[in-house]
Structure formats: structure tokens, C-alpha cells
Amino acid sequence: MSFAVGLIAVLVGITYGIHPYGVHTMGWSNPWVLAAVIGGALVLVLSAIGRGGVMFILIIWLQGIWLPRHGYSFADTPLWAGIYMLPLTAGFLVAGPISGAISDKHGARLLATGGMVVAALSFGWLLLLPVNFAYWNFALALLLNGIGMGLFAAPPPTEPAS
């Protein structure tokens, strides 16, 4: 969803950038065009880092540090890292369909905003975990992140079939 928002902002900026602005034949000096293009690109980069990075870094952390320190052999860590990341998927699978149903009735704006706030809080929680964290604390933070991302990914309201 944030990828779409960033892409839309970039495309809107480009669209208005080719329109005349003031005395210029092109709109590239328009502050709104610059804000849309730069802001959209920034949203795209931060979205990719946030979503892709959390999975990548947490799996590497589990496989290379946390699981071996808790008695798992390096041969078994890929499997157990995937199993230990399941709360993230469970949160997304629970919140996604529920937020889709709610967005049909009330719109997706509040769900998307709330979902990003919940995801941001979960990222903060993950930052505050100690090096030798208890798994239940980690699992709850992952579950909260999955719920936030599931809320954020609520589809736009569908129109009733006629």
C-alpha cells in the first residue's frame, strides 16, 4: 500500500511537472511538484526498507545469533527462524480480512493510518528488546507488527454488484 502511495505521488508530480507553472513552460519549479516527487520517492525507499528489512534482519538475527545462543545447531536455525517468525504472518492473516470487511463499511483511511501507527509502535518495541530477549516478548512484537501491516493493507471499499 505504501508502495502505491509513493508511486502515485511520484506520478502525480511528474504529471504536474509537465504542465506550465507561472511564467515557466514546465512545472518543475512548482514546490508542490517537487514535494510530490521527492516525498513519493522517499516513501518508496522507506517502505521498502521497513517491510523488507524487518524480515531480512530478524531472520538473520535469529539464525546467526539468537537461536545458536539458545541451543539450536546452525543446521537447524533456518527452519526454526521461519517457525519463530510465524506470529508476524499470523497477525497479518488475522487483521487483513477483518480490516477488509471494516473498510467496506467505513473506508480504508482510518485503518491504513492506524495500521501504520501500530506497525511503527511494534518497530519501536523491537528496537527496545534486549540482546537476550525472551521469545514471548519477541513474538508479541511480531504479532503486533503483523496486525499493523494487515490493517494497513486493507483494500479500498468494493462497490456492491448491481
Side-chain angles (χ1 to χ4, degrees):
M1 180 72 153
S2 59
F3 176 79
V5 170
L7 189 58
I8 289 169
V10 169
L11 293 175
V12 166
I14 290 171
T15 301
Y16 284 100
I18 60 175
H19 290 280
Y21 173 71
V23 296
H24 303 289
T25 58
M26 302 289 274
W28 296 111
S29 60
N30 183 341
W32 293 107
V33 169
L34 294 173
V37 172
I38 294 169
L42 185 63
V43 166
L44 288 172
V45 169
L46 292 176
S47 171
I49 290 170
R51 287 183 303 169
V54 73
M55 291 294 290
F56 184 71
I57 294 301
L58 290 179
I59 287 174
I60 287 177
W61 173 259
L62 286 171
Q63 285 184 12
I65 299 170
W66 196 84
L67 288 169
R69 287 181 55 117
H70 288 85
Y72 292 87
S73 72
F74 280 106
D76 294 335
T77 59
L79 170 68
W80 284 103
I83 291 171
Y84 278 31
M85 293 293 289
L86 284 176
L88 181 72
T89 305
F92 193 88
L93 288 174
V94 168
I98 293 170
S99 67
I102 293 171
S103 73
D104 284 345
K105 293 181 181 180
H106 303 289
R109 182 175 295 166
L110 183 62
L111 289 169
T113 304
M116 275 295 101
V117 168
V118 169
L121 290 173
S122 71
F123 285 132
W125 187 352
L126 288 169
L127 280 172
L128 295 175
L129 284 177
V131 173
N132 195 17
F133 55 82
Y135 176 70
W136 67 267
N137 204 355
F138 179 72
L140 288 176
L142 286 182
L143 181 66
L144 188 66
N145 188 274
I147 290 170
M149 292 296 183
L151 290 172
F152 180 72
T158 57
E159 296 191 28
S162 36

